[in-house]
Amino acid sequence: MSSRVSDLPRIPKKRRTDRPQDQMDVETGASSSSAPSMAPGAPSAPTMGLARRPGYGARGRLVHILTNVFPITIDYTRVFHQYDVTMSNASKPDSRLPELLAVQAFNMLRIQHLNRAAIAYDGNKIAIANEVVPEIPPGGGEFNIAITDRKMNVTIRIVRAAAIDMRIVQDRMSRADHTQPIAIITDQVKAISIIFRELPRGSFPAYRGNKYFRDSESKDVRSRSGGVLTVIKQGLSLSTRPAGPGLAVVIKDTVALFRPKGRLLDYMKAILDIHDFQAGPLSASQIARLTTHCRGLKLVYQVKPGKVFIFPFKKFTQASARTLDFPFGNPDDGIRKTVFNYFLEDKQIRLAHPDLPCIDHTKGFLPPERVMLQENQILVRRASPTEIQEILRMSTHDPKVKYDVIVRGKDILGLSSSSANTSQTQASLSMSNFGLGVDNEPKEVQCRVLPLPSTVIFGDGRSESVGLSYTRNKSAAVTWRTGSQRAFVPEKLTSWALINASPRVYPDNKRDETVHSLMGAMTRFGMEPRGPSSVATLTSGALEEELKEAIIAARRTQGKCQILVVIIPDKQSPLYGQVKNVTLSDPLALCQTQILLADKLNRANNTYYANVALKINSKIGGQNWVLSPQELPALCYNAPTMIVGLSISHAPPGKNSPSVVGLAHSTDRNFSRYSAIAMGQEARRNAINHEPLFVGALRQFQAESVGNVLPQRIVVYRKGVSEAEVPLLLFDEVPGIDRAAETVQPGYRPEITYLVANKQQSVRFFATKMGPHGFVGGDGRGNLLPGSVVDQDVTDPALYDFFLISHAGALGTSKPTHYTVLRDDINMAPDDLYDLTFKLCFLYTSTPKPVSKTAPLFYAERINLLARHQFQSDFVDSDAASVVSGGSGSAASSSTFREIRLPGMFFA
């Protein structure tokens, strides 16, 4: 292979030195955006300022369960040595080598220059050795590696950076009382993680970071014409974490999107959804579509036998190979050749598709029929709806099946004592080289199942029992009836409008049926609805004008428009964003909206309309249900307390629009009514400036409270932070709340309990022990019951953290949410904190069942989504903006903040 190919059809071009940043791959079917670190290269934060665990919970029924956590045995007498690695292509010193190529170069370094030393490499900048490597000079060494199959010379500079003493781990984990400052083991955990990450590489053809994939476990996603668009591969992920008295390896299954392998020509057919290319050139729109789909693609061109050129896709030419010409030979001769003639005359190759565009590469032009796709390319983009369906189908397994996959995965990853690494380049690397081992069986842990709230309260003081039942597939279900109950606070609906923006999918002759059914549900809920002031059908495509006309018509007859109901085709319709953009940003069309999906309306029943009524009542200012005061910790209920959900979201991969912060905070003592604040900030910055957000939240709370009081206690649930970044928040973000309190009222010092909620974590739980009525502590499929709390055995002894499964797992294996307490001024007992967190999952106003994380976190995520629509125009010219809902307070005194005041919860 060669990085310089002289016999391609060439044309002089400017050299490009920039390159896009690497993005994270798609996992588990979620539309994923990259999650950047707070500060690249930031030092580890000390944990001595973090909240100390006051003890363990005792409430609830005790059961024993299994996990996907395998304890690690460590030789604590070992001292590992960290080496900093800098690697560059000699011909492109400013470019970064891809992970697979960097790993290949480092393995060659170990064999050729380091005497096969036991040194593990993370694929980026760090290597961990089991002892000082004598072949590396004390001041560091520089080595040149020739990768012959690519004709590439790689320069590697490696220097010893630190000694990592494993006795610190033993000292930290043995502190049972946790009353003394505990030493940081971030470096130790990272070192062991790098070692374990290195071990499976030789057995997997595709890997990225700590995820490993095999071709045998894959599914093709095809276009209608039958061409392969993407390949979904199942794999395994491997991570390391503190767990009880030691460290442990966490193994779980994972899924990622890959590019297909084979000819570029076949990939182009799949993208265009055609069986074959017709005579004549492609249209400009077809070329644009191909260019979009091929962005980031790595291509392979065989120059001659034994000589391969690998290069990144740049773009397609507008001209075809038949007409595209370039200077040939001596420029002074003025000779030009077309790409078609070049291959025919100089290569003796007649192109079969001369009317197709060529690949415009820095070194020249290539016809796509002569190019292959490089194998095992992880696809970095948002998954399509079809891909999401396939990903869910591949990754949704009952707990018993998933548990078996994990236990087998330990052997597949090479972490068993009997496992042998067959890769010659890694023959000297094994767990024993580093004094490490992994238990054969996953860890059994204690779990307590918290009691469910007995009832939820509706209007007129009536209550509905919260019941645990089982579905036909033996899944647990926790629900309460809503359709026949009057809302706790029903808001009268006197003025609203309806627009059918999907007449082809949902014809107008069904519209009256929708209005009748919806009004019936709202009547049962106590909302006393009047008929819609305006009913219209979108026929011209001018949605914005139709929206404004409907809202103005309702205002003309009733003086206001409480809500606008819009029917759109389905979830993928761009009409959703258009409706939210107009009704959240245009002062003339400022209005609550409720979107109905035509495909669901076609099969709607009374339950569907009851759920829509729930949302409408919340949005226009009502409250659906509350929990009894006896169900909430007295410490929070008997004093003015504000519950806060805080979330940050980033733009999808490939886009650099600002990140959006959403904050939802309670405004009543029942923690069931919330207001919202949203803010745009610097793109891909995870740290949040709490001060302006909490200034707005505190003023809103004060304006809506009885007696115009400020909260004495604030409980914050923060989302959007990786577990490695959690300690940094205590110093980088949490003090912003204190500053906000001082801004609102000098000398004001509320008690703050601050928790980080992380659902994107790897620990899973399994109820695998059978009892007389199914799994002990679980449902009939092995999922844990709602209210299951784990606060020891797999938690971090240096932190105050716990895992909670608050929802019933209808499909697949339930994923727990990991909560870490950073600050705890309120000093609730652990049982009270766990119980408060669990009960908040029953207060998500749109769903009569407990959800997987606290209601304010769900609201904050919804605010993120809606605020991104709201800020769409701001993102072009500004990097910050704000929207405030549900109150009359100002968000902040910054001119970059914008306010929208809507009664009720527009994000419900």
Side-chain angles (χ1 to χ4, degrees), residues 445-493:
V445 301
Q446 294 185 20
C447 169
R448 286 170 298 100
V449 183
L450 299 178
L452 299 172
S454 56
T455 60
V456 295
I457 300 175
F458 287 88
D460 301 326
R462 297 182 180 181
S463 62
E464 277 286 349
S465 298
V466 176
L468 173 64
S469 60
Y470 294 91
T471 62
R472 290 182 179 179
N473 70 347
K474 300 181 180 180
S475 298
V478 176
T479 57
W480 53 93
R481 293 187 304 170
T482 60
S484 60
Q485 289 287 7
R486 183 182 178 89
F488 182 73
V489 178
E491 187 73 12
K492 292 184 178 180
L493 182 61

Side-chain angles (χ1 to χ4, degrees), residues 223 225 227-229 263-277 290 353:
S223 64
S225 63
V228 181
L229 285 168
R263 301 191 307 164
L264 175 60
L265 207 62
D266 295 331
Y267 187 44
M268 293 168 63
K269 293 176 187 177
I271 293 170
L272 297 177
D273 199 10
I274 57 177
H275 291 92
D276 207 347
F277 293 103
L290 290 171
H353 299 278

Side-chain angles (χ1 to χ4, degrees), residues 569-736:
D570 50 45
K571 284 184 177 180
Q572 284 71 51
S573 172
L575 294 176
Y576 180 91
Q578 295 173 25
V579 171
K580 296 300 181 181
N581 285 344
V582 173
T583 57
L584 282 173
S585 61
D586 191 327
L588 296 177
L590 201 60
C591 184
Q592 300 279 12
T593 55
Q594 177 61 51
I595 303 296
L596 303 182
L597 303 181
D599 57 349
K600 289 190 175 182
L601 283 173
N602 282 319
R603 57 181 189 275
N605 54 22
N606 288 338
T607 301
Y608 173 83
Y609 287 110
N611 288 335
V612 174
L614 291 176
K615 296 181 180 181
I616 292 177
N617 187 54
S618 296
K619 289 181 178 181
I620 64 176
Q623 286 179 273
N624 294 335
W625 61 77
V626 298
L627 294 179
S628 166
Q630 288 74 30
E631 300 284 0
L632 300 169
L635 202 60
C636 290
Y637 192 81
N638 294 336
T641 301
M642 183 171 74
I643 307 292
V644 178
L646 191 60
S647 177
I648 184 169
S649 66
H650 306 287
K655 296 188 177 180
N656 202 37
S657 57
S659 298
V660 175
V661 180
L663 181 147
H665 67 90
S666 64
T667 57
D668 70 327
R669 66 183 306 187
N670 296 311
F671 310 141
S672 62
R673 191 193 296 271
Y674 286 80
S675 291
I677 299 176
M679 178 179 69
Q681 67 175 32
E682 179 185 345
R684 311 209 174 276
R685 179 174 176 264
N686 245 7
I688 298 174
N689 182 4
H690 282 43
E691 184 173 355
L693 291 166
F694 277 85
V695 166
L698 290 170
R699 286 178 175 164
Q700 281 182 264
F701 184 95
Q702 185 179 32
E704 298 193 20
S705 65
V706 177
N708 200 37
V709 298
L710 289 165
Q712 294 180 22
R713 300 186 175 104
I714 302 174
V715 181
V716 182
Y717 293 91
R718 161 81 150 93
K719 179 183 174 291
V721 183
S722 69
E723 295 195 338
E725 296 169 337
V726 166
L728 297 173
L729 298 187
L730 183 66
F731 307 97
D732 292 349
E733 296 191 13
V734 180

Side-chain angles (χ1 to χ4, degrees), residues 23 29 61 72 128-129 149 178 276-277 304 330 360 406 437 496 582 677 737 749 802 827 870 873:
Q23 304 289 347
R61 178 165 58 97
I72 300 172
I128 303 295
D149 59 344
H178 306 151
D276 207 347
F277 293 103
K304 58 184 179 182
N330 191 336
D360 186 351
I406 288 166
W496 60 294
V582 173
I677 299 176
I737 305 177
R749 294 286 186 271
F802 61 95
N827 290 320
Q870 154 66 25
S873 59

Side-chain angles (χ1 to χ4, degrees), residues 59-65 445-452 468 476 478 764-767 775-779 782-792 802-809 814-819 834-835 837-839 841-842 850-852:
R59 191 177 301 164
R61 178 165 58 97
L62 179 66
V63 295
H64 288 81
I65 59 174
V445 301
Q446 294 185 20
C447 169
R448 286 170 298 100
V449 183
L450 299 178
L452 299 172
L468 173 64
V478 176
R764 300 290 183 270
F765 299 120
F766 308 93
F775 289 96
V776 176
D779 62 13
N783 271 322
L784 299 194
L785 296 176
S788 297
V789 173
V790 176
D791 64 353
Q792 51 188 311
F802 61 95
F803 294 88
L804 172 65
I805 292 180
S806 56
H807 64 295
S814 297
K815 182 189 296 186
T817 301
H818 184 214
Y819 295 91
Y834 306 160
D835 193 56
T837 304
F838 180 42
K839 298 297 173 55
C841 299
F842 286 76
V851 290
S852 61

